[in-house]
Amino acid sequence: MYAVIETGGKQYRVSPEQTVDVETLPGEIGGAIEFGRVVAIANGEKLLTGDAVKGAKVTGTIEAQARAPKVIVFKFKRKKQYKRTQGHRQNFTRVRIDAIEG
């Protein structure tokens, strides 16, 4: 059994007891979270989408509020002595999926 949820402008395929890193969500570590925007649910050989998944929800527990590894952004123009280096670390929330209801 799995579900496709939408959060933070992205879609994730999740199943129970799976850990997934999503865009930052408000909440404390150990707190419960509910994803109400369920795009699809697959149970066995049936795939439900559209109005069939209306009212479905996916619940999970927040395991961590952390930051991803640094990504280096390096810009340069050859022969012009132009170089710029910048780093970026994206915040994320690690969620353990507990149940898929729908």
Side-chain angles (χ1 to χ4, degrees), residues 74-85:
F74 182 70
K75 299 178 181 181
F76 80 101
K77 294 185 181 181
R78 63 190 188 124
K79 300 180 185 177
K80 306 296 180 195
Q81 300 298 316
Y82 173 82
K83 290 186 261 184
R84 296 289 180 268
T85 303

Side-chain angles (χ1 to χ4, degrees), residues 12-95:
Y12 300 92
R13 177 182 166 164
V14 297
S15 56
E17 302 305 318
Q18 178 185 359
T19 302
V20 62
D21 293 343
V22 299
E23 295 291 323
T24 304
L25 298 170
E28 297 294 322
I29 295 174
I33 192 153
E34 182 178 306
F35 299 99
R37 179 87 172 108
V38 179
V39 178
I41 293 179
N43 189 1
E45 295 185 12
K46 291 173 57 178
L47 178 66
L48 304 174
T49 59
D51 288 337
V53 293
K54 204 170 200 176
K57 62 182 176 178
V58 175
T59 57
T61 305
I62 297 176
E63 288 190 338
Q65 298 277 11
R67 299 182 79 190
K70 184 177 278 193
V71 176
I72 302 296
V73 180
F74 182 70
K75 299 178 181 181
F76 80 101
K77 294 185 181 181
R78 63 190 188 124
K79 300 180 185 177
K80 306 296 180 195
Q81 300 298 316
Y82 173 82
K83 290 186 261 184
R84 296 289 180 268
T85 303
Q86 184 177 10
H88 175 74
R89 290 185 69 188
Q90 184 69 31
N91 295 326
F92 69 89
T93 301
R94 181 164 289 142
V95 177

